Amino acid sequence: MKDFAYVSAQDVATAVRAIAEPGAKFLGGGTNLVDLMRQNIERPDTVIDITRLPLDRVEELPDGGVRIGALVRNSHLAAHRVIRTRYPMLAQAILTGASGQLRNMATVGGNVLQRTRCPYFADLAARCNKREPGAGCDAIGGFNRNAAIFGASDSCVATHPSDMCVALAALDATIELESVRGVRRLPLVGFHMLPGDSPQHETAIAADELITAIELPELPVAARSRYRKVRDRASYAFALVSVAAALEVRDGVITEARLALGGVAARPWRAHAAERALMGGPATEERFRLAADAELEGAVAQSQNAFKIELAGRAITATLRQLQVEGSAA
Amino acid sequence: MTYVGQPVDRLDGTAKVTGEARYSAEYPYPNMAYAALVHSTIARGRITRIDSATARKTPGVLAVITHENAPPMKPAPKMTPMDLSTLATGTTVNYLNTDEVHWNGQPIAVVVAETLEAAREAAHLVEVEYAEFPAVLDFAAEEGNATPQKNSLISEGGAKKGDPDAALAAAPFSLDLRYTTPGHNHNAIEPHSTTAFWDKDRLILHEGSQNIAWTQGHLAVRFDVPKENIRVISPFVGGAFGGKTMVWPGTVLTVLAAKVTGRPVRLMLTREGVNRTVGGRTPSIQRVAIGAEAGGSMTALIHTSITQNGKVGGGPEQVTSQTRHLYDAANLQVQQNLVELDTIANTVMRAPGESIGSFALEATVDELAYKLGMDPIELRARNEPARNPIDGKAFAHRMLLECYEVGAKEFGWGERSPEPGSMRDGKWLIGMGVASAYHPAWQFQANVTVRLSADGTVLVRCGFHEMGMGAATAQAQIAADALGVPLGAITVEYGDTALPTGPGAGGSGQTASIAASLITACEKLRRSVFSVARKTPGSPLRGRRFADVRAKDGGLYDGSRGESYQEILRRADRASIEAQVGSDTRLGEITGQVRFMSKFLMDRRRWVKAACGAQFCEVRVDSDTGEIRISRWLGVFDVGKVINAKTAASQLRGGIVMGIGMALAEETLVDPRNGRIMNAGLAEYHVPVHADIPSIDIRYLDDPDPTMPLGLLGIGEVGIVGVAGAIANAVYHATGKRVRDLPITLDKLL
C-alpha cells in the first residue's frame, strides 16, 4: 500500500475543503476503500477520515419522510425501529449484505459508493475500462457469471453490488450532496450511471462532493415490502439476483407497486416496466410473472449468465407472491 | 485403557485460544526484515526487462531480488525412493535463477524491506516486460491429448479384470456417464508463512508445514548445505489440507532473501499469494459406466479419469482408487489419464482422488438404483464384495454395510419416499441421499523417543505435525495408557526437526505411524525400567517376571507388589530412563527406509486396508430459485479404534464440511485465455459459511482393525469422501435433476 496522509475532519466544511486537494479520498467505514487500497486499485495521497462528522443520526422529518445521516452505520440503520416498521425492505436488504462485522463498520454513504466486485476490476493484471479507460474489458468473454443483464455495454458488464441501494431505489430515496459550492439533492434512481463508453464514471457525484444524507419519502406502501436476495451460499455472498418489492392490493387489485432489482446492472435497477404491468392488475401468480417478463424483455445475457434472466423472473414472481401471502415478515 | 477412546480435550486448546500458540509468522527476531513477492502476469514466456529502480527508492527497501541479481540455487532434486524428501518439490522451477515464466503467478522477484508495508508497496512498483510464448491453458480443451498414467511403486494408473466393455454392452441395465469437477484450492485459515534466519551457514526456519523433514531435505539440496545445518520449527500449523506438504516458492525465496540480506526475513503470503504460488486440486473429467443384472448385480464397472499436471510438476490423483474396492463387479476396469498444462503444479488436497472420484462413482450407483427401481443402500448391499474386487486380496477390516445399517436406522432412511420431487415442505423440495466413503489406510516411518524422569513425568519426542487435529493429544493418551501414568504426566514435543524424525501429516497416516513406534518405545521403556528395578536392592520387583508386570497407577506392579516410577528411579539413583524407536543417524535412516518399504510392500501384498463409511444427507431445494440448503447430515464410519472421541468426531465433521464446500461452492476459476486464477481470494472463492452447515451427526463403529496399531484407521480424509456424491443424489431426489458437473450451483437446477 502506498504511503498516504491521514486527515480527520471534524466538520463538513473542513471535509469538503480537504477533498478539493488532488488525490484525496473520503474514508468512512473503510470496508471497501481499504481493501481496494491494499489491492493497489485505489492509491490515494490523502485519506480524509469523515467518521467524526455529525452525520450519524436517523431523523423522522415533519413531512413524514426520514433523513438518514451518511455516516449511520449499516447495522444501526437496519436495526432502527422506523426503518424496520415503515420500510422493512430496507432493513432486510441491509441485513442480507456482507457480515455482521462489516455492517457494523460500513456507512450508508459508503454503501452507495461501493465499487463493483467484477473479478477483472479487482485484478490489476486484467484489462478493465473502469480502472483504465480504453484498456478493454476482460470480463466480456471471461468469467461473467455474475455480470449485468441490463444496461451493459461493449465497454463494461459490471454490476453494482449493493443490497441497500436496491431498496433505496424502490423507495425513491434522495441523495444529499455537499461541496464548497453548496448543497444539492439527486434522486437515487439515476444516481448510478450505466457504463456506456465511459464506465469509469460510476455515479453522478462530483469529485469534490460529499454525501451527507439519504432521505426517504413518506411512503405508506413501503410498510408492506420485502427484500429477497438469491445467492450462491446462505450468507456472505453478493446477489446473483435480488428483488426489493412493495405492494398495495385493494379488493384483489394492485393499486401500488414498487419493484427494484439488484445484481443485474451497474445501478440498482428500478423495474418500471414491471411496476406498470402490475398496476391495476390482479394480485395473482400469472400477473406477477407477466410483470417480470415485461421487465426482462430488455435483458441481455453475457456468455455465462443467461441463467440470471430466468432466475430474475422466478425471484420477482416468488417475492411478489410471498409478499402477497405472508406480508413483510422476513 | 484409561485414556484411549475418551473425549479428552486438546492439550493445546488453552494455548490456542489465548494466542500463546505461536505460528510461523509470529516468531520475533531482532532486526527482522519483511518480504513480498512479485508475480508474473503471463502464463509462459521470458522476462525481457525487469526494472526495480522505482521499487528500490521506496523508503525502507533493503533489496529487490530478481533473476538478474539472485545468487544461484541448486535445482530441485530428482525423485528417488531412497530419499522421500525428494517428493517435496512443489514445482521444478529454479525461482529467480531463470528468466523463464512457467505459470501465471510465478514469483519473479522478491522485495525485502524494513516493514511489511514497504515490501508490499515496492513489490507493486517493480516493472516487468515479457516475451510471451504460446501456452496450453484450457484443461477442457486438452481432453483429446490425455495419456494413460503408468503404474509406479506407489501409484497405480490402471487395472483391468475380465472384459468390461463386452459385459457393459451385454448388460440388461447399463449407464455410461460423464462427470466433471473443477480445480480447488485449500484455503487453510493460516496463509503460508515463513520466517527464515541464517546463522552463518546454519538455517533456522519457522514454517507452517505438514512435513518438516521433507522441507529440511529439500532446502538442504537447494541451498547446498548439509541437512543437519537446517532446523525447521513448526509446532502449530493453521490448517493445511495438503497445501503445506510440498515446498512452495515462498519458502525457498524467504530463505534466499535471508541469505541475500543477512537478516531474519519473514514472508506472510497474502491470500492471493497463496492461490498463485501453492498448487491446488486438479480439475477432472471422469467416465463411469456400469452394467447390471435386473437383480442389481454389477456385471461391468468402468471408471476412467483425466486430470491435470503442471508441466513444472504435480502428480496424478488416484481418482479411480475407490472403484477398485467398493463394488463386486464381475468385470472391472479403472484407468487414470493425464494432461499437462502451463499452470502451477497441482498438489495433494484432502483425499486427493477419492474425494472427486467418489462423486462420479457414487452418483452413478445412485442413478443405477433408480434405473433398477431399487433402494440405493440395497443395491450397495447386493454388490458388497467379500474380497477386494480388482485383485481378490483380503480386506483387513471392512464394515461398510454395518455403517449403512446403523445410518439408515438413525437417519430415518425408511421414511424416504423414493420418487424424485415427492417430498415437500412448502416451497422447499426435500431430498435424501447416501454415498459411500472410502480411504486407504497408510502407515509411515516414525522415530520416537520416550523418556521417564525421576519425578514421574514422561517426555515423548517426535517431529510430527499439529495442523489443528489434535495429533499431540492423541499420542499423549496412547503414551499415558501404555505407561500407566496420568495424562498430565505426559509432555509431547513435536514440530521440530531437532526431534526424532516423525512422519508427514498426510495420507491420513500420521496418528497410526507414530502410534506404532510409540507403543513399541513404551514397551521398551517398561522393560528397561523393570530391568533396572529388578537389579535394584530393596525393590519389591526383585525376582518378578516382566510378563507378570503391569504398568498402572504411575508405576510397575505385579499384582499389588511393585512401586511407582519415582520410587524405582530414586531407589536406582537414576535421573531418567529413555527408550527409542528408529534412529536419525545416516545408517538408521537407511535401515528405517528399507524396513518401511519392505513392510509397505509386504502389507500391500497381503491386505487391503482402508477406512470406510456411509454418508447420509438431507437437502432442501427452493422450488423457485434452485437454492440448495443442507438440512441434515449423518456420517457413520468404520475407522477402526478411535483414539480421541472428541477430536475424531471433529475431524470427520470437518471433512464433511469441506465436502459440502466441494459439492456446492468451491471452484478455482482459471481464465483459459491466460491461465490466471480469477478468484484468488475468499470473497470470490466460496467455501461454506456457518449458515450453510447444518448440525452434523457423527457415529463410528469403534471396531479395531487387527492389522493396525491399536486397531486405529486414519480419519483425516475419509470424512470428505462421498459427501459430494450424497449431496448430488439428494438433489436428484429433491428435484429430479442429475447434476454431473461440480459445483452444484443453483443455475444448474433452473
Side-chain angles (χ1 to χ4, degrees), chain A residues 1-2 40 43 119-120 123-125 138 140-143 145 228 231 233-234 237 240 307 314 318 321, chain B residues 41 121 124 276 622 624-625 627 629 669-671 673 676 678 682 686-687 689 691-692 745-747 750:
Chain A
M1 194 188 289
K2 181 175 137 187
N40 288 303
R43 291 175 62 82
Y120 296 92
D123 183 2
L124 287 177
D138 277 340
I140 296 173
F143 292 112
R145 182 171 173 272
R228 172 78 161 96
R231 46 186 154 176
R233 59 183 171 191
L240 295 167
F307 78 95
R314 290 169 175 235
R321 180 207 310 135
Chain B
T41 55
E121 171 62 10
H124 172 69
R276 302 220 184 283
D622 186 307
D624 290 310
T625 61
E627 289 162 286
R629 301 286 178 257
L669 300 174
V670 180
D671 195 320
R673 297 171 299 183
R676 195 165 172 84
M678 290 313 303
L682 287 174
H686 281 184
V687 297
V689 296
D692 291 306
T745 44
L746 61 88
D747 46 303
L750 292 180

Side-chain angles (χ1 to χ4, degrees), chain A residues 116-118 130 139 146-148 150 152 156-160 195 264-267:
Chain A
T116 184
R117 306 292 165 155
C118 175
K130 252 188 206 305
N146 206 8
F150 290 118
C156 183
V157 299
T159 57
H160 191 256
V264 294
R267 61 165 56 139

Side-chain angles (χ1 to χ4, degrees), chain B residues 341-361:
Chain B
L341 271 71
D342 293 297
T343 56
I344 189 170
N346 67 309
T347 193
V348 293
M349 182 167 164
R350 205 171 202 169
E354 291 90 357
S355 53
I356 54 177
S358 68
F359 159 63
L361 177 64

Side-chain angles (χ1 to χ4, degrees), chain B residues 647-726:
Chain B
T647 54
S650 173
Q651 211 177 353
L652 291 164
R653 194 172 283 127
I656 290 164
V657 172
M658 203 164 173
I660 291 173
M662 189 179 110
L664 300 181
E666 292 190 49
E667 177 172 18
T668 301
L669 300 174
V670 180
D671 195 320
R673 297 171 299 183
N674 59 10
R676 195 165 172 84
I677 295 176
M678 290 313 303
N679 60 345
L682 287 174
E684 283 77 30
Y685 182 101
H686 281 184
V687 297
V689 296
H690 277 94
D692 291 306
I693 303 299
S695 156
I696 296 174
D697 192 7
I698 299 292
R699 308 287 168 100
Y700 43 81
L701 304 178
D702 214 22
D703 188 86
D705 179 326
T707 70
M708 292 295 285
L710 289 174
L712 77 91
L713 291 159
I715 52 172
E717 294 166 281
V718 69
I720 193 176
V721 184
V723 173

Side-chain angles (χ1 to χ4, degrees), chain B residues 500-697:
Chain B
T501 304
S508 299
Q510 186 172 254
T511 298
S513 308
I514 307 160
S517 297
L518 179 58
I519 290 161
T520 310
C522 289
E523 156 89 21
K524 277 182 165 181
L525 182 62
R526 289 196 308 267
R527 279 186 187 276
S528 301
V529 173
F530 176 73
S531 65
V532 165
R534 259 184 82 214
K535 291 179 212 141
T536 308
S539 168
L541 291 163
R542 278 180 79 94
R544 303 278 148 184
R545 293 185 315 151
F546 182 70
D548 299 327
V549 167
R550 296 284 166 271
K552 60 172 191 182
D553 304 333
L556 294 178
Y557 296 88
D558 177 357
S560 61
R561 290 186 63 91
E563 60 185 340
S564 70
Y565 291 127
Q566 288 102 310
E567 279 300 306
I568 296 171
L569 269 67
R570 186 196 57 76
R571 207 187 286 279
D573 198 22
R574 293 283 292 265
S576 66
I577 298 175
E578 184 168 286
Q580 166 183 349
V581 167
S583 154
D584 282 306
T585 62
R586 187 65 200 138
L587 182 64
E589 250 177 63
I590 294 166
T591 319
Q593 194 71 49
V594 169
R595 194 179 298 140
F596 160 72
M597 279 314 273
S598 57
K599 178 177 160 39
F600 169 75
L601 293 173
M602 198 159 67
D603 260 12
R604 206 174 59 174
R605 261 206 307 278
R606 284 179 66 192
W607 304 106
V608 171
K609 299 190 192 190
C612 62
Q615 308 274 17
F616 288 77
C617 83
E618 182 188 88
V619 302
R620 295 163 83 87
V621 180
D622 186 307
S623 54
D624 290 310
T625 61
E627 289 162 286
I628 303 165
R629 301 286 178 257
I630 312 287
S631 44
R632 287 199 297 143
W633 201 283
L634 168 65
V636 184
F637 297 95
D638 169 19
V639 288
K641 177 73 195 163
V642 163
I643 304 301
N644 184 319
K646 186 183 256 184
T647 54
S650 173
Q651 211 177 353
L652 291 164
R653 194 172 283 127
I656 290 164
V657 172
M658 203 164 173
I660 291 173
M662 189 179 110
L664 300 181
E666 292 190 49
E667 177 172 18
T668 301
L669 300 174
V670 180
D671 195 320
R673 297 171 299 183
N674 59 10
R676 195 165 172 84
I677 295 176
M678 290 313 303
N679 60 345
L682 287 174
E684 283 77 30
Y685 182 101
H686 281 184
V687 297
V689 296
H690 277 94
D692 291 306
I693 303 299
S695 156
I696 296 174
D697 192 7

